């Protein structure tokens, strides 16, 4: 898939590798495979590289990939993967456009857009370990042939993958299992790159684009399913229906109540600490604290109104509620 579409397999491999490896070393394993894949495609399609795009893309992508790869040690890549998945799924309408409609709606981007695309591609790749088909849509709109898309993307990305490998190793973001899985992916990509040389000439430009967009959507769905499940598990996200009009959403040991009242509409209630109260309400809390055994505070958000506060006061196991 990746060889025919110019990318995509990495984004499907991410949720599979997440099952076998810690999240922090998944990018290392992927990058071994994607580096080998890009290098082998350059060897096969080198005469089709569009050097104009290459010289706009690469200089801006290198500092971005350095930043992204460094930040992987401090941020959770799963949330970025989730955003990438949603972006990919949003390409579904492209599958149903006719050839004529697609050609009329495709307007090439200005050259400076390549610099922005290069920077974003490098940053996303540095954190997740894969660019996949995320930026394939931009290549398609530059009017490149299918061979040029495969070759130019490989040339643009081979430097990113090499830099990432060096950064991941220097930060200790690798393991023996990650290395073995990466080498297995690398071996498969070499075979696929040389095989696609004989398949690509038989695909029309329109079918190539449809396969590309289809791969984006499939990759997005696979990534969305795998990543969302991992986020739910690691952040202990749960939704409990307390009543017909009220649900409690838990995230990282924090509860948020979603409540619907006929008169007040939709409300979101979030527990807060006393120090988060506005100054006038802090005095109210101090007064209530002297009168009751326990006082819990919730901040209430209602559409079209200013945020309010609710005080749940317990004394002798009896609740008294104050709304301010």
């Amino acid at each position: 898939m990746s060889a025919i579409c110019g990318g995509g397999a990495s984004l499907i491999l991410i949720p599979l590798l997440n099952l076998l490896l810690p999240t922090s070393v998944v990018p290392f394993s992927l990058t071994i495979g994607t580096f080998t894949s890009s290098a082998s495609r350059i060897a096969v399609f080198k005469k089709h590289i569009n050097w104009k795009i290459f010289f706009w893309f690469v200089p801006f992508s290198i500092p971005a990939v350095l930043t992204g790869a460094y930040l992987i040690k401090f941020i959770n890549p799963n949330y970025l993967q989730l955003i990438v998945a949603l972006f990919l799924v949003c390409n579904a309408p492209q599958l149903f456009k006719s050839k004529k409609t697609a050609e009329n709606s495709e307007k090439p981007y200005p050259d400076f857009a390549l610099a922005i695309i290069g920077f974003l591609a490098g940053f996303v790749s540095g954190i997740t370990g894969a660019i996949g088909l995320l930026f394939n849509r931009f290549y398609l709109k530059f009017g490149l042939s299918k061979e040029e898309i495969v070759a130019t993307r490989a040339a643009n990305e081979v430097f990113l993958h090499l830099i990432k490998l060096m950064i991941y190793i220097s930060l200790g973001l690798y393991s023996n299992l990650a290395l073995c899985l990466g080498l297995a992916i690398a071996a498969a990509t070499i075979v696929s790159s040389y095989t696609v040389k004989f398949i690509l000439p038989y695909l029309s430009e329109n079918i190539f684009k449809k396969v590309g967009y289809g791969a984006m959507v499939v990759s997005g769905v696979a990534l969305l399913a795998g990543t969302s499940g991992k986020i739910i598990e690691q952040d202990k996200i749960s939704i409990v229906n307390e009543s017909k009009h009220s649900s409690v959403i838990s995230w990282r040991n924090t509860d948020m109540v979603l409540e619907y009242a006929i008169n007040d509409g939709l409300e979101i209630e979030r527990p807060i600490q006393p120090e988060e109260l506005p100054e006038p309400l802090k005095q109210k809390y101090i007064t209530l604290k002297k009168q009751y055994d326990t006082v819990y505070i919730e901040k209430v958000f209602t559409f079209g109104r200013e945020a309010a506060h609710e005080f749940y006061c317990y004394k002798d196991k009896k609740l008294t509620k104050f709304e301010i």
Side-chain angles (χ1 to χ4, degrees):
M1 178 191 292
S2 187
I4 291 175
C5 308
S10 298
L11 293 170
I12 291 178
L13 285 171
I14 287 176
L16 298 177
L17 289 172
N18 277 335
L19 299 174
L20 303 171
L21 298 168
T23 303
S24 60
V25 299
V26 166
F28 171 78
S29 189
L30 270 178
T31 302
I32 294 176
T34 49
F35 170 75
T36 309
S37 175
S38 295
S40 59
R41 285 181 212 162
I42 291 172
V44 176
F45 295 101
K46 57 181 178 291
K47 65 179 181 179
H48 296 285
I49 296 173
N50 186 308
W51 292 107
K52 174 188 173 183
I53 291 180
F54 174 85
F55 288 119
W56 270 97
F57 184 99
V58 172
F60 294 92
S61 64
I62 291 176
V65 77
L66 289 169
T67 305
Y70 178 75
L71 288 177
I72 194 175
K73 206 163 186 177
F74 305 99
I75 64 176
N76 187 344
N78 285 322
Y79 286 97
L80 183 58
Q81 290 174 14
L82 190 64
I83 295 171
V84 169
L86 293 172
F87 178 85
L88 290 170
V89 172
C90 287
N91 286 281
Q94 296 292 330
L95 292 171
F96 305 101
K97 285 186 177 181
S98 65
K99 181 180 179 181
K100 187 175 181 180
T101 304
E103 288 175 352
N104 292 335
S105 63
E106 286 187 358
K107 297 178 181 178
Y109 295 103
D111 289 342
F112 71 84
L114 283 168
I116 299 173
I117 296 166
F119 183 87
L120 293 174
F123 186 74
V124 173
S125 183
I127 294 178
T128 66
I131 302 174
L133 290 165
L134 182 58
F135 297 95
N136 218 38
R137 185 169 181 172
F138 299 98
Y139 285 97
L140 291 169
K141 291 208 171 190
F142 274 101
L144 303 181
S145 70
K146 51 187 183 290
E147 289 86 2
E148 285 178 319
I149 289 177
V150 172
T152 306
R153 281 201 49 196
N156 286 348
E157 294 167 16
V158 70
F159 290 100
L160 302 186
H161 300 319
L162 182 60
I163 292 169
K164 285 187 297 178
L165 278 177
M166 293 188 291
I167 295 174
Y168 295 150
I169 292 171
S170 67
L171 295 175
L173 298 175
Y174 64 92
S175 69
N176 290 334
L177 179 58
L179 176 62
C180 292
L181 292 174
L183 292 174
I185 296 170
T189 62
I190 294 173
V191 175
S192 70
S193 293
Y194 281 90
T195 303
V196 78
K197 182 179 181 180
F198 304 101
I199 299 174
L200 213 54
Y202 295 98
L203 295 178
S204 68
E205 296 291 341
N206 186 51
I207 291 176
F208 176 79
K209 290 180 180 181
K210 292 292 184 184
V211 171
Y213 285 122
M216 292 174 83
V217 176
V218 171
S219 298
V221 171
L223 187 59
L224 184 64
T227 305
S228 58
K230 193 149 191 176
I231 289 174
I232 290 171
E233 180 183 351
Q234 72 178 16
D235 289 337
K236 299 180 176 65
I237 299 175
S238 64
I239 301 176
V240 178
N241 293 321
E242 284 193 330
S243 65
K244 186 177 179 180
H245 301 295
S246 178
S247 299
V248 177
I249 303 172
S250 296
W251 180 75
R252 292 189 176 180
N253 299 319
T254 299
D255 292 336
M256 184 176 290
V257 179
L258 196 66
E259 187 175 280
Y260 179 76
I262 295 175
N263 296 328
D264 298 327
L266 186 66
E267 293 181 348
I268 298 175
E269 302 174 359
R270 181 177 68 87
I272 64 172
Q273 299 300 316
E275 54 267 24
E276 297 179 65
L277 286 168
E279 203 58 42
L281 292 182
K282 287 182 180 178
Q283 296 302 319
K284 177 70 174 177
Y285 171 77
I286 294 171
T287 303
L288 292 174
K289 189 69 176 172
K290 294 175 182 177
Q291 300 174 19
Y292 294 90
D293 300 327
T294 308
V295 179
Y296 296 106
I297 313 165
E298 285 187 351
K299 191 170 185 178
V300 182
F301 302 90
T302 308
F303 183 73
R305 300 182 189 177
E306 288 188 13
H309 295 82
E310 294 178 348
F311 294 82
Y312 294 83
C313 307
Y314 292 86
K315 187 168 185 176
D316 298 329
K317 297 184 179 180
K318 290 183 180 180
L319 170 63
T320 304
K321 180 180 175 182
F322 296 92
E323 295 184 13
I324 302 175

